[in-house]
């Protein structure tokens, strides 16, 4: 009987289009639909999807991207990566720095390509 009840429940859910765990229904503290890939942008003051940003960097294994967003004056850069997000501050031409989970990171342009590095100059992400 329990199997029949479960089967009927699933059939009813499929028929009505409702699900107990609808994808995209989870919201973060800012109201962004995190389950649909949205994150809060402190620079733009709105929900964005980092993987849709025009400016993307990729890690060495080519398995993860980091979306980069600059403010209108290009004095700050917001980085969205699998490690987290960070706002970097421009200190000189094509050089931004900040801290991600207490560790220094930099975004700089070298040989015409943008590179996100850690404090040990290890390249985390680079422009393809």
């Amino acid at each position: 009987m329990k199997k029949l009840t479960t089967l009927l429940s699933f059939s009813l859910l499929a028929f009505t289009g409702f699900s107990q765990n609808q994808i995209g229904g989870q919201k973060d503290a800012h109201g962004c639909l995190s389950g649909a890939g949205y994150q809060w942008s402190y620079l733009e003051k709105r929900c964005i999807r980092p993987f849709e940003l025009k400016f993307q960097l990729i890690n060495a294994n080519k398995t993860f991207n980091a979306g980069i967003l600059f403010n209108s004056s290009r004095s700050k850069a917001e980085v969205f990566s699998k490690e987290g997000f960070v706002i970097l501050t421009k200190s000189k031409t094509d050089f931004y720095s900040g801290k991600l989970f207490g560790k220094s990171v930099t975004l700089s342009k070298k040989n015409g390509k943008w590179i996100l590095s850690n404090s040990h100059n290890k390249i985390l992400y680079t422009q393809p």
Side-chain angles (χ1 to χ4, degrees):
M1 184 69 171
K2 186 172 180 166
K3 286 184 181 179
L4 180 60
T5 304
T6 303
L7 180 61
L8 288 173
S9 296
F10 283 125
S11 297
L12 182 60
L13 289 173
F15 177 75
T16 60
F18 290 103
S19 152
Q20 292 177 345
N21 296 316
Q22 288 183 327
I23 295 173
Q26 307 86 356
K27 290 186 178 183
D28 68 10
H30 298 281
C32 301
L33 290 170
S34 54
Y38 286 92
Q39 287 183 293
W40 182 254
S41 167
Y42 287 92
L43 292 183
E44 292 211 347
K45 308 276 189 268
R46 65 181 182 93
C47 299
I48 63 162
R49 293 170 74 168
F51 56 87
E52 292 180 339
L53 294 173
K54 291 178 187 176
F55 187 31
Q56 298 284 320
L57 303 180
I58 192 161
N59 69 348
N61 297 334
K62 297 186 175 164
T63 53
F64 294 103
N65 282 16
I68 311 292
L69 180 67
F70 293 96
N71 65 351
S72 59
S73 66
R74 293 187 71 91
S75 63
K76 296 197 181 292
E78 193 167 17
V79 178
F80 300 88
S81 69
K82 74 175 182 79
E83 292 83 10
F85 79 93
V86 61
I87 296 179
L88 306 175
T89 304
K90 185 177 187 177
S91 57
K92 57 184 174 182
T93 303
D94 295 335
F95 187 88
Y96 298 78
S97 61
K99 294 203 180 275
L100 179 62
F101 298 117
K103 299 190 180 193
S104 296
V105 291
T106 60
L107 177 67
S108 59
K109 200 170 195 179
K110 295 178 184 169
N111 299 324
K113 290 191 174 190
W114 286 97
I115 297 171
L116 184 68
S117 305
N118 67 13
S119 58
H120 303 293
N121 289 324
K122 179 183 177 195
I123 295 174
L124 304 173
Y125 295 86
T126 187
Q127 192 173 11

